[in-house]
């Protein structure tokens, strides 16, 4: 279900990604007419009559773009790994919403010793694919527990021994008496493009992609 060939739909999530995307869109001559934090509208028009923004949950961005309901989207590498990337062309690292994926444990827990003696660890995370891959590569035995929010609570409440979560300043970990024991990977947000859109709407999309590329810091 591709939007008509003469217009562009961009999928964005509210908050950090929306805020950090605004300057990149501006460089491409695109300015949203409303702030999704204030308006409750889910479809936002822009200064360009042929460009609109749809506001979706961060983890839904790849799905909208995969099925062509949006031509372009901006999503974290974390989200793209979990989605799998099917049907998506990923031309640009936008270097926004930068953080890292890491393993964290309660301050008193000797993670390295547990790993050395081959203990089976319970790990709570929203990022099942990333966690599975990481621990498999390291040869650590884990039972993964899928959560949808506030991973930091899991070890404190006795649900898990460790968590895999995104960290930037480390403030939330510290406030909950958790320590980072392994960095899994650096995370930032990527531009994603529907593969069919890129072929069918290249004259419309390529200049937008190029101008965004030129504005990446
Ligand atoms: P959710 O929809 O689950 O609330 P968030 O708004 O927390 O998602 O995060 C959206 C995206 O922002 C994530 O997919 C990630 O790429 C990025 N992100 C998450 N936490 C941070 C952080 N602490 N610092 C920078 N970027 C982050
Ligand atoms: Mg959020």
């Amino acid at each position: 279900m591709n939007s008509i060939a003469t217009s562009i739909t961009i999928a964005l999530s509210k908050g950090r990604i929306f805020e950090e995307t605004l300057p990149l869109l501006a460089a491409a001559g695109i300015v949203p007419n409303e702030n999704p934090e204030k308006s409750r509208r889910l479809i936002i028009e822009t200064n360009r009559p042929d460009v609109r923004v749809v506001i979706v949950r961060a983890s839904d961005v790849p799905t909208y773009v995969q099925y062509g309901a949006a031509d372009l989207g901006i999503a974290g590498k974390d989200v793209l790994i979990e989605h799998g990337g099917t049907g998506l062309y990923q031309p640009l690292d936008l270097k926004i919403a930068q953080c890292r994926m890491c393993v964290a444990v309660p301050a008193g827990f000797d993670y390295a010793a547990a790993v050395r003696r081959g203990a089976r660890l319970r790990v709570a995370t929203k990022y099942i694919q990333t966690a599975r891959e990481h621990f498999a590569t390291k040869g650590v035995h884990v039972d993964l527990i899928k959560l949808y929010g506030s991973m930091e609570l899991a070890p404190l409440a006795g649900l898990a021994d460790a968590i895999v979560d995104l960290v930037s300043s480390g403030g939330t970990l510290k406030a909950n008496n958790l320590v980072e024991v392994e960095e899994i990977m650096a995370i930032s947000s990527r531009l994603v493009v529907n593969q069919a859109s890129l072929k069918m709407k290249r004259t419309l999309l390529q200049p937008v992609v190029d101008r965004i590329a030129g504005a990446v810091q």
Side-chain angles (χ1 to χ4, degrees), residues 24-211:
L24 300 174
L25 289 180
I30 298 167
V31 182
N33 289 348
E34 284 176 88
N35 178 348
E37 302 296 345
K38 298 196 180 110
S39 130
R40 298 171 76 156
R41 249 189 260 278
L42 299 175
I43 298 182
I44 297 181
E45 303 298 330
T46 72
N47 63 317
R48 275 180 56 170
D50 59 341
V51 180
R52 65 177 188 168
V53 172
V54 293
I55 303 297
V56 303
R57 183 79 191 256
S59 46
D60 290 336
V61 166
T63 307
Y64 273 79
V65 177
Q66 171 187 3
Y67 288 97
D71 305 294
L72 302 178
I74 294 173
K77 184 178 176 184
D78 51 317
V79 161
L80 291 167
I81 289 172
E82 296 300 311
H83 170 272
T86 308
L88 304 178
Y89 174 56
Q90 299 184 29
L92 288 180
D93 178 355
L94 301 176
K95 314 247 174 81
I96 61 169
Q98 290 185 321
C99 52
R100 56 192 185 276
M101 184 75 72
C102 73
V103 182
V105 300
F109 181 71
D110 193 342
Y111 173 78
V115 167
R116 270 197 309 271
R117 68 170 186 271
R120 194 168 187 93
L121 299 176
R122 288 173 70 160
V123 179
T125 188
K126 184 159 107 177
Y127 308 99
I128 295 288
Q129 302 301 334
T130 307
R132 181 180 295 127
E133 169 88 30
H134 173 71
F135 293 113
T137 303
K138 297 209 68 171
V140 177
H141 303 290
V142 291
D143 289 319
L144 297 175
I145 301 174
K146 168 84 182 185
L147 287 181
Y148 293 87
S150 299
M151 267 74 81
E152 301 84 6
L153 177 62
L156 308 180
L159 178 64
D161 303 305
I163 60 172
V164 166
D165 198 5
L166 295 175
V167 177
S168 48
S169 70
T172 307
L173 290 183
K174 201 163 181 212
N176 291 291
N177 206 23
L178 300 170
V179 292
E180 186 177 336
V181 288
E182 266 168 6
E183 174 167 340
I184 300 179
M185 66 178 79
I187 298 288
S188 57
S189 287
R190 316 287 154 125
L191 182 69
V192 292
V193 187
N194 175 273
Q195 287 173 351
S197 295
L198 191 63
K199 290 192 197 104
M200 288 159 49
K201 303 187 187 180
R202 192 178 278 277
T203 52
L204 209 50
L205 288 176
Q206 195 66 54
V208 173
V209 174
D210 291 345
R211 288 170 77 179

